Amino acid sequence: MERKFDITLRSRYPELWRYNIVLTCGCFNAEGERIDFLSKESNIAPVGANLAEPPKEAMQSRDIEVKTPPCSNIVLYIYIIPHTLPTTREVEEYAPFDFSIKVTAGKEEIYSVVHKVNQWSGASIELKLPQAK
């Protein structure tokens, strides 16, 4: 069954400015053929920038929203890439932060999970949706 998927990435972590966020989405028909490809990025600085403070534009909402064309399933790759590392090496001072991924199709919630993101390594997340039941 083909339907449009709405994908939302969100985090309220105050230091999210230290990360670039990349979303890629392959859209597939019932036969498994890719019919579209979407991507969206929220970049603040090049990897290794080690900024002393957040740029002014980084303090705006970093939510990412993508809507797919009608398709049967999607494959998402989400990358949260640190460009500025924590100021200390004390792990207990920088616990993983929350990063929410929500996918809906109309009124149906397909996926809604809060992922934990390591502050030093970031995250690479692969999702194939909808998942087999």
Side-chain angles (χ1 to χ4, degrees), residues 63-78:
D63 295 355
I64 293 178
E65 295 181 0
V66 174
K67 297 180 186 299
T68 71
C71 57
S72 292
N73 55 16
I74 58 175
V75 177
L76 298 170
Y77 292 98
I78 300 157

Side-chain angles (χ1 to χ4, degrees), residues 16-37:
L16 190 63
W17 64 269
R18 296 190 293 113
Y19 301 84
N20 293 329
I21 305 165
V22 178
L23 163 72
T24 63
C25 177
C27 305
F28 298 85
N29 64 19
E31 291 76 37
E33 299 167 328
R34 191 178 82 189
I35 56 174
D36 209 339
F37 179 82

Side-chain angles (χ1 to χ4, degrees), residues 85-106:
L85 296 175
T87 56
T88 179
R89 293 183 183 201
E90 301 301 323
V91 174
E92 58 274 356
E93 291 183 34
Y94 284 93
F97 65 89
D98 292 345
F99 192 86
S100 170
I101 302 172
K102 185 174 182 179
V103 179
T104 58

Side-chain angles (χ1 to χ4, degrees), residues 4-130:
K4 295 179 181 181
F5 294 91
D6 294 320
I7 304 155
T8 304
L9 310 181
R10 175 175 290 138
S11 179
R12 297 296 173 238
Y13 179 55
E15 293 186 26
L16 190 63
W17 64 269
R18 296 190 293 113
Y19 301 84
N20 293 329
I21 305 165
V22 178
L23 163 72
T24 63
C25 177
C27 305
F28 298 85
N29 64 19
E31 291 76 37
E33 299 167 328
R34 191 178 82 189
I35 56 174
D36 209 339
F37 179 82
L38 310 168
S39 66
K40 196 162 188 182
E41 297 183 19
S42 176
N43 291 314
I44 299 297
V47 172
N50 288 325
L51 303 177
E53 59 186 38
K56 289 188 184 353
E57 64 273 8
M59 302 317 289
Q60 299 169 5
S61 172
R62 302 275 312 280
D63 295 355
I64 293 178
E65 295 181 0
V66 174
K67 297 180 186 299
T68 71
C71 57
S72 292
N73 55 16
I74 58 175
V75 177
L76 298 170
Y77 292 98
I78 300 157
Y79 304 100
I80 305 161
I81 307 161
H83 58 73
T84 299
L85 296 175
T87 56
T88 179
R89 293 183 183 201
E90 301 301 323
V91 174
E92 58 274 356
E93 291 183 34
Y94 284 93
F97 65 89
D98 292 345
F99 192 86
S100 170
I101 302 172
K102 185 174 182 179
V103 179
T104 58
K107 294 186 186 287
E108 181 184 2
E109 186 172 273
I110 306 294
Y111 186 87
S112 183
V113 174
V114 175
H115 292 258
K116 295 290 186 183
V117 176
N118 180 294
Q119 296 212 32
W120 282 271
S121 62
S124 296
I125 302 165
E126 176 190 49
L127 299 172
K128 296 178 180 180
L129 301 170

